[in-house]
Amino acid sequence: IDGGIFRTGRLRTLAVPAFARADARVEVTLRKHLSAIAVGSNLLQTYHTEYASDQIVVRGVPRSFNVQLVWKY
């Protein structure tokens, strides 16, 4: 299990508000060579703005989840 919390300050010149983001990752060993991994990103909000300006469309980065099966040999 691991994770992180990230904070970005407001970017006035680009009209981007400050935001905080939390990510988490869990890995479970199923067999000697097989693991299941679950990752969640941007868990604090449904989305946050990465950048914006008069000439750039506001981009919302959504909350996301990812599940993987990993075979190591």
Side-chain angles (χ1 to χ4, degrees):
I1 297 175
D2 62 81
I5 297 176
F6 308 91
R7 168 114 168 72
T8 299
R10 185 175 127 188
L11 303 172
R12 272 188 211 146
T13 58
L14 297 177
V16 175
F19 67 90
R21 186 184 99 223
D23 298 343
R25 179 182 180 277
V26 176
E27 182 171 356
V28 177
T29 301
L30 303 174
R31 305 267 187 217
K32 182 178 178 183
H33 298 286
L34 181 65
S35 295
I37 301 169
V39 178
S41 299
N42 198 27
L43 299 174
L44 300 178
Q45 304 168 26
T46 54
Y47 73 92
H48 67 267
T49 301
E50 287 282 335
Y51 56 83
S53 77
D54 293 336
Q55 296 148 355
I56 301 174
V57 177
V58 173
R59 179 172 178 230
V61 177
R63 177 181 298 146
S64 63
F65 298 95
N66 183 3
V67 177
Q68 303 172 1
L69 287 176
V70 177
W71 179 266
K72 299 175 186 174
Y73 59 95

